[in-house]
Amino acid sequence: MLGLLLLQVLASCLRLGHSEVVTSFMSCPQFFYSGLAPNNALNPKNATWICQRLSNSYHYATLYDRDRRIPVYSAYKYRPAEGKRPDVPWFLEPQLIGENNLKEMTSEMTLVYDHKFTLDQIKESQAILGDYTQLKGLDRGHLCPSGHMENILSKAATFTQTNIVPQDRILNNGKWNTYESDTMSEMSKGCKNTFVITGAVPGNTYVSSGRVNRPSHIWSAACCVVDKNPTRAWGAIAENDKNEVETITLGELEERLTELYNGTVTLFGTACPRQ
């Protein structure tokens, strides 16, 4: 009975929920320590800032690359809770489809049959379901994983095409999964809040007939806050064709990203410890 009630609540909220596309993260600064997003070195030429919203609540924030059709990074608070991945459809973002008044994250079928968009209109600035259905050796890799969210609604909010990249299947199910599940849990012990930014470095190859970029690296940074003060921080990075994850300091991660992006990268301003 309880399970049925949760599903009914979720279904109701999915009809009401939406993501909000903005020109900055001013609507959802709470997912960044002290409201500080990464500096502009990570910004692509055709960027969109998304405050990922479901059931009138924000759950995380995403910087999205319209040209490469992948997220640059997603930022969130690490608040893992037990529970299975919710059985929800993959959502698309109608606010990436030119000018329209639609505010709700919704399915591809709804966009086509109810709102009369063509697939060509939808796929111009974002990945669609078909881009991920026939990939070989690659998974839909969450940047903000459902397992790091605190309830069924926030878990459901992670199932959007604007939060995933083509990730090596062995890495996704192997060492990266270990990092997300075990290392993050161990490293976050004693933290009142852990702020996380997880991203993907654009690669030189594309999938789905050149439509969607395959990242060269997956990375993540975390800042542990105790009594309102950042006490420690760490990072992780993995090449997107090897089942290996390096756990390093925040400073080392920023140095690696500075080389990969050819510009000085700072992820939490100067607030969180680099060593």
Side-chain angles (χ1 to χ4, degrees), residues 44-65:
K45 292 181 179 179
N46 196 1
T48 293
W49 291 257
I50 305 174
C51 289
Q52 303 279 14
R53 181 173 167 173
L54 181 65
S55 187
N56 296 317
S57 296
Y58 296 120
H59 299 278
Y60 60 102
T62 300
L63 179 64
Y64 193 76
D65 186 336

PDB file of all heavy atoms in Angstrom, residues 44-65:
ATOM      1  N   PRO A  44      30.949  26.295 -22.502  1.00  0.00           N
ATOM      2  CA  PRO A  44      31.008  26.112 -23.953  1.00  0.00           C
ATOM      3  C   PRO A  44      30.489  27.348 -24.668  1.00  0.00           C
ATOM      4  O   PRO A  44      29.943  28.268 -24.041  1.00  0.00           O
ATOM      5  CB  PRO A  44      30.090  24.911 -24.185  1.00  0.00           C
ATOM      6  CG  PRO A  44      29.069  25.033 -23.096  1.00  0.00           C
ATOM      7  CD  PRO A  44      29.810  25.577 -21.904  1.00  0.00           C
ATOM      8  N   LYS A  45      30.635  27.365 -25.984  1.00  0.00           N
ATOM      9  CA  LYS A  45      30.189  28.522 -26.767  1.00  0.00           C
ATOM     10  C   LYS A  45      28.673  28.687 -26.711  1.00  0.00           C
ATOM     11  O   LYS A  45      28.169  29.813 -26.687  1.00  0.00           O
ATOM     12  CB  LYS A  45      30.646  28.377 -28.224  1.00  0.00           C
ATOM     13  CG  LYS A  45      32.147  28.464 -28.418  1.00  0.00           C
ATOM     14  CD  LYS A  45      32.517  28.327 -29.881  1.00  0.00           C
ATOM     15  CE  LYS A  45      34.017  28.431 -30.083  1.00  0.00           C
ATOM     16  NZ  LYS A  45      34.405  28.271 -31.521  1.00  0.00           N
ATOM     17  N   ASN A  46      27.954  27.593 -26.712  1.00  0.00           N
ATOM     18  CA  ASN A  46      26.492  27.644 -26.763  1.00  0.00           C
ATOM     19  C   ASN A  46      25.930  26.987 -25.506  1.00  0.00           C
ATOM     20  O   ASN A  46      25.438  25.866 -25.534  1.00  0.00           O
ATOM     21  CB  ASN A  46      25.984  26.944 -28.026  1.00  0.00           C
ATOM     22  CG  ASN A  46      24.543  27.281 -28.353  1.00  0.00           C
ATOM     23  OD1 ASN A  46      23.896  28.061 -27.651  1.00  0.00           O
ATOM     24  ND2 ASN A  46      24.029  26.682 -29.409  1.00  0.00           N
ATOM     25  N   ALA A  47      26.024  27.707 -24.396  1.00  0.00           N
ATOM     26  CA  ALA A  47      25.684  27.145 -23.088  1.00  0.00           C
ATOM     27  C   ALA A  47      24.259  27.486 -22.673  1.00  0.00           C
ATOM     28  O   ALA A  47      23.709  28.516 -23.061  1.00  0.00           O
ATOM     29  CB  ALA A  47      26.644  27.670 -22.029  1.00  0.00           C
ATOM     30  N   THR A  48      23.680  26.601 -21.879  1.00  0.00           N
ATOM     31  CA  THR A  48      22.401  26.861 -21.224  1.00  0.00           C
ATOM     32  C   THR A  48      22.521  26.457 -19.758  1.00  0.00           C
ATOM     33  O   THR A  48      23.006  25.371 -19.450  1.00  0.00           O
ATOM     34  CB  THR A  48      21.260  26.070 -21.884  1.00  0.00           C
ATOM     35  OG1 THR A  48      21.043  26.560 -23.206  1.00  0.00           O
ATOM     36  CG2 THR A  48      19.961  26.230 -21.108  1.00  0.00           C
ATOM     37  N   TRP A  49      22.069  27.342 -18.874  1.00  0.00           N
ATOM     38  CA  TRP A  49      22.086  27.073 -17.444  1.00  0.00           C
ATOM     39  C   TRP A  49      20.707  26.544 -17.043  1.00  0.00           C
ATOM     40  O   TRP A  49      19.695  27.207 -17.269  1.00  0.00           O
ATOM     41  CB  TRP A  49      22.405  28.338 -16.660  1.00  0.00           C
ATOM     42  CG  TRP A  49      23.811  28.814 -16.823  1.00  0.00           C
ATOM     43  CD1 TRP A  49      24.822  28.680 -15.935  1.00  0.00           C
ATOM     44  CD2 TRP A  49      24.372  29.529 -17.942  1.00  0.00           C
ATOM     45  NE1 TRP A  49      25.980  29.241 -16.414  1.00  0.00           N
ATOM     46  CE2 TRP A  49      25.733  29.762 -17.650  1.00  0.00           C
ATOM     47  CE3 TRP A  49      23.857  29.963 -19.169  1.00  0.00           C
ATOM     48  CZ2 TRP A  49      26.586  30.431 -18.534  1.00  0.00           C
ATOM     49  CZ3 TRP A  49      24.701  30.617 -20.049  1.00  0.00           C
ATOM     50  CH2 TRP A  49      26.048  30.855 -19.739  1.00  0.00           C
ATOM     51  N   ILE A  50      20.667  25.356 -16.461  1.00  0.00           N
ATOM     52  CA  ILE A  50      19.398  24.727 -16.115  1.00  0.00           C
ATOM     53  C   ILE A  50      19.305  24.507 -14.612  1.00  0.00           C
ATOM     54  O   ILE A  50      20.149  23.837 -14.020  1.00  0.00           O
ATOM     55  CB  ILE A  50      19.228  23.370 -16.829  1.00  0.00           C
ATOM     56  CG1 ILE A  50      19.383  23.509 -18.343  1.00  0.00           C
ATOM     57  CG2 ILE A  50      17.870  22.764 -16.493  1.00  0.00           C
ATOM     58  CD1 ILE A  50      19.373  22.187 -19.085  1.00  0.00           C
ATOM     59  N   CYS A  51      18.279  25.076 -13.993  1.00  0.00           N
ATOM     60  CA  CYS A  51      17.933  24.741 -12.618  1.00  0.00           C
ATOM     61  C   CYS A  51      16.932  23.589 -12.701  1.00  0.00           C
ATOM     62  O   CYS A  51      15.769  23.790 -13.063  1.00  0.00           O
ATOM     63  CB  CYS A  51      17.328  25.944 -11.893  1.00  0.00           C
ATOM     64  SG  CYS A  51      18.531  27.247 -11.539  1.00  0.00           S
ATOM     65  N   GLN A  52      17.389  22.400 -12.403  1.00  0.00           N
ATOM     66  CA  GLN A  52      16.569  21.204 -12.585  1.00  0.00           C
ATOM     67  C   GLN A  52      15.478  21.154 -11.509  1.00  0.00           C
ATOM     68  O   GLN A  52      15.763  20.983 -10.338  1.00  0.00           O
ATOM     69  CB  GLN A  52      17.443  19.944 -12.504  1.00  0.00           C
ATOM     70  CG  GLN A  52      18.588  19.933 -13.505  1.00  0.00           C
ATOM     71  CD  GLN A  52      18.167  19.502 -14.904  1.00  0.00           C
ATOM     72  OE1 GLN A  52      16.980  19.447 -15.239  1.00  0.00           O
ATOM     73  NE2 GLN A  52      19.141  19.185 -15.737  1.00  0.00           N
ATOM     74  N   ARG A  53      14.246  21.294 -11.963  1.00  0.00           N
ATOM     75  CA  ARG A  53      13.133  21.482 -11.044  1.00  0.00           C
ATOM     76  C   ARG A  53      12.057  20.413 -11.250  1.00  0.00           C
ATOM     77  O   ARG A  53      11.712  20.062 -12.367  1.00  0.00           O
ATOM     78  CB  ARG A  53      12.535  22.877 -11.263  1.00  0.00           C
ATOM     79  CG  ARG A  53      11.368  23.215 -10.359  1.00  0.00           C
ATOM     80  CD  ARG A  53      10.993  24.665 -10.544  1.00  0.00           C
ATOM     81  NE  ARG A  53       9.708  24.980  -9.948  1.00  0.00           N
ATOM     82  CZ  ARG A  53       9.208  26.207  -9.845  1.00  0.00           C
ATOM     83  NH1 ARG A  53       9.894  27.224 -10.317  1.00  0.00           N
ATOM     84  NH2 ARG A  53       8.034  26.417  -9.305  1.00  0.00           N
ATOM     85  N   LEU A  54      11.560  19.895 -10.147  1.00  0.00           N
ATOM     86  CA  LEU A  54      10.505  18.894 -10.164  1.00  0.00           C
ATOM     87  C   LEU A  54       9.595  19.133  -8.967  1.00  0.00           C
ATOM     88  O   LEU A  54      10.078  19.327  -7.846  1.00  0.00           O
ATOM     89  CB  LEU A  54      11.100  17.482 -10.084  1.00  0.00           C
ATOM     90  CG  LEU A  54      10.115  16.319 -10.110  1.00  0.00           C
ATOM     91  CD1 LEU A  54       9.388  16.245 -11.452  1.00  0.00           C
ATOM     92  CD2 LEU A  54      10.858  15.006  -9.858  1.00  0.00           C
ATOM     93  N   SER A  55       8.275  19.140  -9.204  1.00  0.00           N
ATOM     94  CA  SER A  55       7.292  19.351  -8.141  1.00  0.00           C
ATOM     95  C   SER A  55       7.559  20.636  -7.362  1.00  0.00           C
ATOM     96  O   SER A  55       7.576  20.660  -6.127  1.00  0.00           O
ATOM     97  CB  SER A  55       7.283  18.164  -7.180  1.00  0.00           C
ATOM     98  OG  SER A  55       6.228  18.277  -6.244  1.00  0.00           O
ATOM     99  N   ASN A  56       7.834  21.714  -8.107  1.00  0.00           N
ATOM    100  CA  ASN A  56       8.030  23.040  -7.528  1.00  0.00           C
ATOM    101  C   ASN A  56       9.218  23.128  -6.593  1.00  0.00           C
ATOM    102  O   ASN A  56       9.283  24.002  -5.732  1.00  0.00           O
ATOM    103  CB  ASN A  56       6.764  23.513  -6.791  1.00  0.00           C
ATOM    104  CG  ASN A  56       5.594  23.681  -7.731  1.00  0.00           C
ATOM    105  OD1 ASN A  56       5.737  24.207  -8.836  1.00  0.00           O
ATOM    106  ND2 ASN A  56       4.419  23.213  -7.321  1.00  0.00           N
ATOM    107  N   SER A  57      10.177  22.204  -6.746  1.00  0.00           N
ATOM    108  CA  SER A  57      11.403  22.242  -5.954  1.00  0.00           C
ATOM    109  C   SER A  57      12.602  22.034  -6.867  1.00  0.00           C
ATOM    110  O   SER A  57      12.530  21.266  -7.826  1.00  0.00           O
ATOM    111  CB  SER A  57      11.391  21.154  -4.874  1.00  0.00           C
ATOM    112  OG  SER A  57      10.355  21.367  -3.952  1.00  0.00           O
ATOM    113  N   TYR A  58      13.690  22.706  -6.551  1.00  0.00           N
ATOM    114  CA  TYR A  58      14.929  22.496  -7.281  1.00  0.00           C
ATOM    115  C   TYR A  58      15.683  21.322  -6.664  1.00  0.00           C
ATOM    116  O   TYR A  58      15.758  21.191  -5.442  1.00  0.00           O
ATOM    117  CB  TYR A  58      15.800  23.742  -7.228  1.00  0.00           C
ATOM    118  CG  TYR A  58      15.195  24.947  -7.907  1.00  0.00           C
ATOM    119  CD1 TYR A  58      14.951  26.120  -7.192  1.00  0.00           C
ATOM    120  CD2 TYR A  58      14.882  24.921  -9.257  1.00  0.00           C
ATOM    121  CE1 TYR A  58      14.394  27.232  -7.813  1.00  0.00           C
ATOM    122  CE2 TYR A  58      14.329  26.022  -9.886  1.00  0.00           C
ATOM    123  CZ  TYR A  58      14.093  27.176  -9.163  1.00  0.00           C
ATOM    124  OH  TYR A  58      13.534  28.265  -9.779  1.00  0.00           O
ATOM    125  N   HIS A  59      16.296  20.476  -7.524  1.00  0.00           N
ATOM    126  CA  HIS A  59      16.998  19.297  -7.035  1.00  0.00           C
ATOM    127  C   HIS A  59      18.488  19.314  -7.358  1.00  0.00           C
ATOM    128  O   HIS A  59      19.278  18.708  -6.628  1.00  0.00           O
ATOM    129  CB  HIS A  59      16.353  18.040  -7.607  1.00  0.00           C
ATOM    130  CG  HIS A  59      14.922  17.891  -7.191  1.00  0.00           C
ATOM    131  ND1 HIS A  59      14.561  17.363  -5.969  1.00  0.00           N
ATOM    132  CD2 HIS A  59      13.763  18.224  -7.814  1.00  0.00           C
ATOM    133  CE1 HIS A  59      13.242  17.366  -5.863  1.00  0.00           C
ATOM    134  NE2 HIS A  59      12.732  17.889  -6.966  1.00  0.00           N
ATOM    135  N   TYR A  60      18.887  19.974  -8.419  1.00  0.00           N
ATOM    136  CA  TYR A  60      20.301  20.143  -8.759  1.00  0.00           C
ATOM    137  C   TYR A  60      20.388  21.134  -9.917  1.00  0.00           C
ATOM    138  O   TYR A  60      19.357  21.614 -10.410  1.00  0.00           O
ATOM    139  CB  TYR A  60      20.977  18.805  -9.112  1.00  0.00           C
ATOM    140  CG  TYR A  60      20.380  18.073 -10.303  1.00  0.00           C
ATOM    141  CD1 TYR A  60      20.992  18.091 -11.552  1.00  0.00           C
ATOM    142  CD2 TYR A  60      19.209  17.322 -10.168  1.00  0.00           C
ATOM    143  CE1 TYR A  60      20.455  17.406 -12.635  1.00  0.00           C
ATOM    144  CE2 TYR A  60      18.661  16.642 -11.246  1.00  0.00           C
ATOM    145  CZ  TYR A  60      19.287  16.689 -12.472  1.00  0.00           C
ATOM    146  OH  TYR A  60      18.737  16.020 -13.541  1.00  0.00           O
ATOM    147  N   ALA A  61      21.601  21.459 -10.314  1.00  0.00           N
ATOM    148  CA  ALA A  61      21.815  22.441 -11.379  1.00  0.00           C
ATOM    149  C   ALA A  61      22.708  21.837 -12.453  1.00  0.00           C
ATOM    150  O   ALA A  61      23.614  21.053 -12.147  1.00  0.00           O
ATOM    151  CB  ALA A  61      22.459  23.699 -10.809  1.00  0.00           C
ATOM    152  N   THR A  62      22.463  22.214 -13.716  1.00  0.00           N
ATOM    153  CA  THR A  62      23.227  21.668 -14.831  1.00  0.00           C
ATOM    154  C   THR A  62      23.629  22.766 -15.808  1.00  0.00           C
ATOM    155  O   THR A  62      22.798  23.585 -16.201  1.00  0.00           O
ATOM    156  CB  THR A  62      22.405  20.604 -15.596  1.00  0.00           C
ATOM    157  OG1 THR A  62      22.053  19.537 -14.713  1.00  0.00           O
ATOM    158  CG2 THR A  62      23.197  20.040 -16.765  1.00  0.00           C
ATOM    159  N   LEU A  63      24.892  22.776 -16.198  1.00  0.00           N
ATOM    160  CA  LEU A  63      25.335  23.597 -17.319  1.00  0.00           C
ATOM    161  C   LEU A  63      25.333  22.693 -18.545  1.00  0.00           C
ATOM    162  O   LEU A  63      25.995  21.646 -18.563  1.00  0.00           O
ATOM    163  CB  LEU A  63      26.737  24.151 -17.067  1.00  0.00           C
ATOM    164  CG  LEU A  63      27.317  25.019 -18.194  1.00  0.00           C
ATOM    165  CD1 LEU A  63      26.481  26.283 -18.391  1.00  0.00           C
ATOM    166  CD2 LEU A  63      28.771  25.380 -17.917  1.00  0.00           C
ATOM    167  N   TYR A  64      24.598  23.082 -19.582  1.00  0.00           N
ATOM    168  CA  TYR A  64      24.385  22.211 -20.748  1.00  0.00           C
ATOM    169  C   TYR A  64      25.000  22.812 -22.003  1.00  0.00           C
ATOM    170  O   TYR A  64      24.909  24.018 -22.237  1.00  0.00           O
ATOM    171  CB  TYR A  64      22.888  21.987 -20.973  1.00  0.00           C
ATOM    172  CG  TYR A  64      22.586  20.873 -21.945  1.00  0.00           C
ATOM    173  CD1 TYR A  64      22.718  19.543 -21.561  1.00  0.00           C
ATOM    174  CD2 TYR A  64      22.181  21.150 -23.251  1.00  0.00           C
ATOM    175  CE1 TYR A  64      22.456  18.511 -22.454  1.00  0.00           C
ATOM    176  CE2 TYR A  64      21.912  20.123 -24.148  1.00  0.00           C
ATOM    177  CZ  TYR A  64      22.049  18.813 -23.739  1.00  0.00           C
ATOM    178  OH  TYR A  64      21.793  17.795 -24.626  1.00  0.00           O
ATOM    179  N   ASP A  65      25.622  21.958 -22.809  1.00  0.00           N
ATOM    180  CA  ASP A  65      26.249  22.345 -24.065  1.00  0.00           C
ATOM    181  C   ASP A  65      25.305  21.972 -25.211  1.00  0.00           C
ATOM    182  O   ASP A  65      25.181  20.804 -25.582  1.00  0.00           O
ATOM    183  CB  ASP A  65      27.585  21.609 -24.201  1.00  0.00           C
ATOM    184  CG  ASP A  65      28.394  22.063 -25.412  1.00  0.00           C
ATOM    185  OD1 ASP A  65      27.801  22.583 -26.372  1.00  0.00           O
ATOM    186  OD2 ASP A  65      29.629  21.877 -25.384  1.00  0.00           O
TER     187      ASP A  65
END
